[in-house]
Amino acid sequence: MFAYGMLAVILALYLERIGLNRAAIGLLFSCTMFGDILVSLFLTTRADRFGRRKTLVIGALLMLGASIVFVMTDWFWLLAIAATIGVLSPSGNEVGPFLPVEQAALSEELSKEKRVGILAWYNLVGYFATALGALTGGMGSQAMQHSGMTEIASFRIVIVFHGLIGIGMLLLYLGISPHAETKAKKATAPMWLGLHKSKRTVLQLSGLFSIDAFAGGFVMQSLIAYWFHLRWGANEAQLGELLFFGNLFAGVSSLLAVRIARRFGLINTMVWTHIPSNVLLILVPLAPNFGAAMALLLARFCLSQMDVPTRQAYVMSVVEPDERSAAGGVTNVARSIGTTIAPLFTGIAFAVPVAGIPFLVAGTLKIGYDLALWRLARTHPIETT
């Protein structure tokens, strides 16, 4: 997550500096997210049988390979191939096989009562790492430029460091305990994408999650940074600080979500903390100056991710133990599909930065998702185990 946070601050700026226009940047981001879908779907639906540790090692190798290509070439189609096959995160959020397989491994030894709390801490560490990465990517690249390095060279140093972190992940994954593997007996029911008894439930949730993610694709962290640069002229250091505090607030709020969920339930926590955050998102482009826009966005970060540990715990709770990697993978892939489509509209959405179209579209769609999820839970309650 530290690597993802670093990359989110500079990736769009780097691609623009090496000669890509806004439409090409949006297309490349879509290639990246589309590739993440394929990689995640292929690996996570096999992870419980192939081995969770081996799956994570493969993901780290793909992350390293993509970093090498992005540093070595500015040819669009080669970048697109590397983005499709490798594991990169223009959004600053989780991509690839890491999240669903890690969640499945954590859930292997956890009871339902402890699961949401542990996943909240898991997300807290991720948010803090993303925040530090964003701060490092923004301020580090600017410091290198002040020392005489060109913009492109400073951005490439950040991407190199992203690849080195992939090596560190590889070494850590090699040391994971065998207890992370599923202990469930091999399923006798027909398997579909690694699912059997929980297929209908996972598909229902995946459809809704894809709507939420499509909306989120308009305001992924790389594009937020890009919009603040276009609209207010924010530099790399300011963007790094903005995303640092945003991710910091998001991480702390995930712990508060645990207490709310214990009192009001997982679905209520997901919905009724998410709606106010999306109202704040709609207000960001209506702010009169950079400071006000930043304050609204940071206030939104305080609420927007409180649904994450509750959503993850909910998915892990409604499926069988030997479906957890697959369920996490399928729901994440559904989210990735939505996120992949959104950057195709980057050129249109950013044509008039003052209008703030990405924020208006994202906030409106996300409120619609919240209400649809609440209605589904009310009319078709799903028992958790």
Side-chain angles (χ1 to χ4, degrees), residues 52 108-109 178-185 321:
R52 291 168 179 166
E108 195 64 35
E109 298 289 331
H179 293 294
E181 308 296 343
T182 182
K183 298 173 181 60
K185 295 181 180 179

Side-chain angles (χ1 to χ4, degrees), residues 214-298:
F214 172 74
F218 285 91
V219 287
M220 64 175 70
Q221 292 191 23
S222 285
L223 296 181
I224 287 177
Y226 192 43
W227 182 83
F228 270 87
H229 172 72
L230 293 175
R231 176 68 180 91
W232 303 110
N235 59 39
E236 292 89 345
Q238 290 174 316
L239 297 174
E241 291 171 358
L242 174 62
L243 296 184
F244 168 76
F245 285 108
N247 285 289
L248 193 69
F249 296 159
V252 173
S253 71
S254 66
L255 295 182
L256 181 59
V258 178
R259 292 191 176 187
I260 298 174
R262 286 173 180 166
R263 182 168 182 180
F264 298 104
L266 296 173
I267 291 293
N268 284 332
T269 303
M270 292 163 64
V271 171
W272 301 114
T273 61
H274 212 222
I275 289 177
S277 78
N278 295 320
V279 173
L280 290 168
L281 187 65
I282 292 172
L283 294 176
V284 168
L286 304 180
N289 53 54
F290 173 73
M294 183 174 65
L296 286 168
L297 185 64
L298 290 176

Side-chain angles (χ1 to χ4, degrees), residues 138 140-152 154-155 236:
S141 60
Q142 189 170 73
M144 286 185 278
Q145 292 165 30
H146 286 165
S147 68
M149 189 177 291
T150 65
E151 280 188 314
I152 292 178
S154 70
F155 295 156
E236 292 89 345

Side-chain angles (χ1 to χ4, degrees), residues 75 103 135 184 294:
W75 186 33
Q103 287 176 359
L135 190 66
M294 183 174 65

